[in-house]
Amino acid sequence: MRVTIPSPLRSYTQGRAEVIGSGATFAELLDRLDADFPGIRFRMIDEQDRIRRHIRLFVNREQVVDLAHSLRDDDEVQILCALSGG
Amino acid sequence: MKRRSGRDKSKARRTRAGRKVAPASRRTIEQKRVVLLVGTRKGAFIYHGDPTRSRWRLDGPHRLGEIVNHVVLDPRDGVTMLMAARAGHLGPTIFRSVDMGRTWKEAAEPPAFRKAAATENGRSVDYTFWLSVGHRDDHDVWYAGTSPPALFRSHDAGVTWQGIDSYNDHLMYLKWNPPGGGTPDGAVLSSVIVDPRDARHMYMVTSDGGAFETLDNCETWTSINKGVEANFLPDPYPEYGQDVHCLCIHPANPDRLYQQNHCGIYRIDRPSDNWIRIGNNMPKEIGDIGFGIVVHPRDPETAWVFPMDGTAVWPRTSPGGRPAVYRTTDAGATWLRQDRGLPREHAWFTVKRQAFCADDFDPVGLYFGTTSGEVWMSPNEGRSWNLVAVHLPHIYSVVAATIH
């Protein structure tokens, strides 16, 4: 599936704004992204598996708040950064 | 001809943790110089001084946009550098460099709490606030202090980090660190200091618990706050609950410690467990509130503070808008104002606790960074001051590392 990467995380993806990911759930997708781009998961998800304050996850333009959310190969995933102030 | 030693000393080598160590011959030939490691709200900046400390070459920004609370170079090897960082949108991490900041690589396992059970509201590290190296004989050991207050240790020069459960999960943790307290950016653990005579003996401080000591390599912890005021609590002299801003151990006399507290400047001479408020000897119109305190690298009687306005609503700016360092050369009995070269008026900045430091030259160089983005230095133990940098972002930390 196509995964949009926000600019603050592109240092992990060698500058790529979009990568190809896989997984049956959002949690699996994030684990595999972290295997491909080490460190990227912890900057989005804390050690208690909570989505960090300024990170927003979308599947087919619908926001996801549960990492157990199921995914299909043709889903379009967007990882976005919310406003965080100066 | 076969060499007697297994190692060619003319070539650079690498340690187990992958650090590159300069060849011994080159290290002895080169002149000693200072490198200033500046952490700011928008990244890190490195200033390379010449041997006279009169010219500074800027290298940076590094990790532009990351909130950098601390950058520290390991004096034991002179090459391993760690940066505590968090971007506005992203979680915290530790960046490592072994080539003086040319490249940075993220820690494989940054400081993080253990995953809690599903029924518990587990803690997560908001940011790493403090970094310091372990004992000189404990190669590759580093310590990190975080917000919320927790202590972490690395045994591999910052690649992976483990929580110190004896403190982080202590039965008294919530008493020592009541929820909702701390600085405007949250409660912090800082000033992790190892006794140079004994790696098992350490101190650390928190913004809601005061100072703590361990004698057994972090197995057990004791609060050490007798005589230290906490005027924001019902009992102004409690066993714990003080807000220590900065703690220093004297390298030449490790039985002597100084602290700049939310409620004054103190000194202790161990084995006594009673702190003495040496800030009472500061000029009354200046007071003894501040963030940082710096000790002379060789003279245990000499220390410097940078007072701030702690009156009324606590502006935390230079008192009267006239910044000055105050020096004692008699362990706090008397204090001398040192402001030559500093702005005479309308300088309303603050110097944060990690942003005031000294080098080990003779005479000692002093350095501080301001919330308004200036780095000041004194090449003569505070007698005069000049600017090293202007227009930087809000400065959180300044560390003077000596390069040989």
Side-chain angles (χ1 to χ4, degrees):
Chain A
M1 68 195 74
R2 286 160 48 194
V3 181
T4 303
I5 304 294
S7 64
L9 288 168
R10 288 180 199 158
S11 62
Y12 292 88
T13 59
Q14 291 79 50
R16 280 185 285 167
E18 185 177 292
V19 300
I20 301 300
S22 64
T25 63
F26 220 110
E28 270 188 36
L29 168 67
L30 291 172
D31 286 345
R32 290 177 189 178
L33 283 178
D34 199 61
D36 291 341
F37 311 111
I40 194 169
R41 185 185 188 281
F42 189 64
R43 304 206 80 187
M44 295 186 274
I45 310 295
D46 74 15
E47 57 266 58
Q48 307 303 335
D49 288 338
R50 293 183 291 243
I51 301 166
R52 293 195 186 277
R53 184 177 167 200
H54 298 294
I55 295 290
R56 301 285 185 270
L57 308 176
F58 292 85
V59 176
N60 303 326
R61 299 180 180 258
E62 292 291 327
Q63 186 167 355
V64 169
V65 294
D66 183 357
L67 298 185
H69 183 93
S70 297
L71 293 176
R72 298 186 319 185
D73 285 345
D74 60 349
D75 281 340
E76 184 181 326
V77 173
Q78 290 173 294
I79 300 169
L80 299 177
C81 289
L83 303 177
S84 78
Chain B
M1 183 177 147
K2 199 170 182 180
R3 300 183 72 86
R4 292 181 70 185
S5 163
R7 181 185 300 151
D8 180 352
K9 291 180 180 169
S10 68
K11 291 181 180 173
R13 61 187 174 86
R14 285 185 185 277
T15 66
R16 227 175 7 166
R19 302 186 315 266
K20 198 172 180 182
V21 178
S25 56
R26 202 170 78 217
R27 277 181 277 150
T28 53
I29 292 168
E30 286 177 352
Q31 278 185 289
K32 177 170 152 174
R33 62 187 180 84
V34 172
V35 172
L36 293 180
L37 310 173
V38 182
T40 81
R41 185 172 158 72
K42 301 291 181 183
F45 300 80
I46 301 176
Y47 288 86
H48 294 264
D50 68 5
T52 66
R53 298 175 297 179
S54 57
R55 293 185 180 188
W56 301 88
R57 176 177 60 82
L58 168 62
D59 171 25
H62 295 263
R63 310 300 307 189
L64 179 64
E66 301 263 4
I67 300 165
V68 177
N69 275 300
H70 218 181
V71 189
V72 176
L73 179 72
D74 189 340
R76 298 167 299 187
D77 65 13
V79 290
T80 303
M81 194 186 299
L82 300 191
M83 176 197 300
R86 180 192 63 166
H89 298 92
L90 308 177
T93 194
I94 303 285
F95 290 106
R96 302 178 69 251
S97 177
V98 292
D99 54 12
M100 225 29 176
R102 276 194 292 278
T103 58
W104 295 92
K105 189 173 180 186
E106 193 170 344
E109 294 175 26
F113 290 101
R114 194 183 301 106
K115 179 84 162 50
T119 53
E120 295 175 13
N121 184 24
R123 290 170 288 175
S124 63
V125 171
D126 190 19
Y127 57 91
T128 297
F129 183 71
W130 172 271
L131 293 166
S132 53
V133 300
H135 192 270
R136 63 177 174 269
D137 295 334
D138 284 343
H139 306 293
D140 296 338
V141 169
W142 284 69
Y143 292 93
T146 63
S147 178
L151 180 62
F152 293 85
R153 179 160 50 196
S154 171
H155 291 279
D156 53 15
V159 178
T160 62
W161 294 84
Q162 298 79 41
I164 304 285
D165 295 344
S166 61
Y167 178 79
N168 300 345
D169 295 330
H170 198 285
L171 287 174
M172 289 290 289
Y173 182 86
L174 287 176
K175 294 275 190 188
W176 289 340
N177 301 285
T183 74
D185 292 328
V188 293
L189 187 150
S190 63
S191 295
V192 185
I193 297 167
V194 181
D195 186 333
R197 301 164 300 190
D198 178 5
R200 298 169 61 80
H201 182 208
M202 294 171 54
Y203 299 93
M204 66 177 187
V205 309
T206 69
S207 52
D208 288 286
F212 295 88
E213 179 182 31
T214 178
L215 298 168
D216 51 16
N217 197 25
C218 303
E219 290 292 317
T220 57
W221 296 93
T222 309
S223 60
I224 174 171
N225 298 302
K226 204 167 163 186
V228 179
E229 189 176 8
N231 63 11
F232 44 85
L233 294 174
D235 173 4
Y237 289 94
E239 181 185 340
Y240 53 83
Q242 287 83 348
D243 178 6
V244 186
H245 288 173
C246 185
L247 182 75
C248 293
I249 191 169
H250 200 281
N253 175 13
D255 284 332
R256 169 162 290 176
L257 291 95
Y258 292 90
Q259 71 162 281
Q260 174 65 71
N261 191 282
H262 183 90
C263 298
I265 307 164
Y266 297 83
R267 190 194 81 226
I268 193 169
D269 291 297
R270 310 305 308 278
S272 168
D273 62 353
N274 199 47
W275 292 89
I276 300 162
R277 189 164 183 172
I278 56 176
N280 284 336
N281 302 319
M282 285 280 288
K284 295 298 173 224
E285 69 278 14
I286 298 297
D288 65 342
I289 306 305
F291 278 129
I293 186 163
V294 172
V295 293
H296 192 287
R298 294 171 292 277
D299 176 13
E301 304 292 299
T302 296
W304 293 267
V305 293
F306 195 97
M308 65 184 185
D309 188 344
T311 61
V313 295
W314 281 68
R316 295 178 175 82
T317 57
S318 306
R322 292 184 290 276
V325 166
Y326 280 75
R327 184 193 71 189
T328 179
T329 53
D330 48 18
T334 60
W335 295 90
L336 175 73
R337 183 179 177 95
Q338 296 184 307
D339 62 359
R340 189 175 162 199
L342 294 176
R344 308 305 300 171
E345 59 181 357
H346 294 302
W348 303 100
F349 53 69
T350 303
V351 175
K352 294 204 158 172
R353 69 194 78 189
Q354 280 119 304
F356 188 23
C357 65
D359 64 30
D360 60 358
F361 279 48
D362 186 9
V364 173
L366 296 173
Y367 308 84
F368 67 81
T370 72
T371 50
S372 51
E374 297 169 349
V375 178
W376 290 86
M377 77 87 61
S378 168
N380 48 27
E381 309 201 351
R383 283 190 289 280
S384 66
W385 294 88
N386 52 70
L387 273 170
V388 172
V390 295
H391 307 316
L392 294 181
H394 182 131
I395 293 174
Y396 288 163
S397 64
V398 178
V399 171
T402 299
I403 305 290
H404 296 274

